[in-house]
């Protein structure tokens, strides 16, 4: 069976957003152990992941070194972070496999996500990323990145357009069919738009859950497994009457989404991704905690969403 497994922001860094490389490798090793379990049980998987902490650090480095080295645009930083995280996952997985005697190849695909240049998101960038800047710094940064006023100062504010398609899904599918474990669509993929016959990178951020769904649908995966830092999707999350969802039909889930149980900055896109996946022929979408990945696939943990 084919699954796309989407790893949340904490999975590869731990909870500390400023985690040094040792901590990032420690977190990645834990993920590798549960991926190995899926592989041993015959799953074909593509791993996708967030890149918020890594791109945040890269942005800070661009800012601090701007007088020495030309700062790179956001789409290039997206590519850098995919490379960094891909390297960590490839190495940790390979080491885990060799301990367990598993013989499988692993490859990271630098992935571009096609978005529509006319997407409404571009007229109203809303997603703050990277460090806080002073008014003075923000003024200097404006030539490079779109800046916006937020509480406490200025931040880079980018558009979060919807993914239209995953440029590299053909090669990802081919590799999976040859039993290769693929790491792809990191950080939602590098957003690109079509200009005439060419693709051009844009400074935007595609939601990693929505991009993972696109990939899952385009490669014909049966399962979309979204791993995050909560064990279930909850109704009335954080309130006294909160209730964990375990097994839900898509119509019922759509109803809860409309009722406003899932905020757009966190659980909303996961639920939306799950529903889109089912509409596009997916068998089941699962939202679960990283620790429970295997139990969730076995049906014993997480929130399972089906037709
Ligand atoms: P990720 O990095 O995995 O994408 P997010 O922070 O974007 O993580 O989303 C997961 C977070 O969503 C949880 O930590 C939780 O605080 C929040 N959340 C909001 N609403 C809900 C809900 N209804 N059920 C469960 N978690 C929710
Ligand atoms: Mg998120």
């Amino acid at each position: 069976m084919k699954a796309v497994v989407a790893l949340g922001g904490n999975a590869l860094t731990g909870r500390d957003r400023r985690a040094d490389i040792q901590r990032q490798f420690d977190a990645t090793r834990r993920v590798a152990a549960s991926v190995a379990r899926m592989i041993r049980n015959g799953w074909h998987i593509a791993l996708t992941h967030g890149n918020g902490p890594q791109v945040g650090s890269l942005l800070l480095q661009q800012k601090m070194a701007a007088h020495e080295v030309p700062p790179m645009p956001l789409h290039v930083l997206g590519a850098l972070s995919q490379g960094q995280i891909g390297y960590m996952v490839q190495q940790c997985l390979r080491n885990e496999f060799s301990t367990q005697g598993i013989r499988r190849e692993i490859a990271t695909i630098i992935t571009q996500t096609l978005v529509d240049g006319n997407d409404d998101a571009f007229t109203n960038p809303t997603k703050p990323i990277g460090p806080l800047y002073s008014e003075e710094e923000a003024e200097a940064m404006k030539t490079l990145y779109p800046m916006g006023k937020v509480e406490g100062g200025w931040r880079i504010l980018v558009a979060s357009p919807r993914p239209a398609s995953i440029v590299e899904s053909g090669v990802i599918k081919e590799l999976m069919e040859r039993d290769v474990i693929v790491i792809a669509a990191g950080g939602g993929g590098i957003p690109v738009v079509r200009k005439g016959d060419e693709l051009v990178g844009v400074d935007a951020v595609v939601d990693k859950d929505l991009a993972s769904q696109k990939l899952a649908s385009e490669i014909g995966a049966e399962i979309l497994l979204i791993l995050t830092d909560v064990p279930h999707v909850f109704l009335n999350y954080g309130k006294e009457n909160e209730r964990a969802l375990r097994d839900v039909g898509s119509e019922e889930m759509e109803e809860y989404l409309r009722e406003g149980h899932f905020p757009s900055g966190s659980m909303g896109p996961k639920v939306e991704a799950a529903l889109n996946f089912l509409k596009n022929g997916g068998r089941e979408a699962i939202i679960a905690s990283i620790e429970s990945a295997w139990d969730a696939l076995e049906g014993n943990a997480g929130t399972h969403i089906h037709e």
Side-chain angles (χ1 to χ4, degrees), residues 198-210:
E198 296 193 336
L199 297 179
V200 185
V202 288
D203 287 332
V205 170
V206 179
D207 181 86
K208 75 131 196 337
D209 297 311
L210 296 179

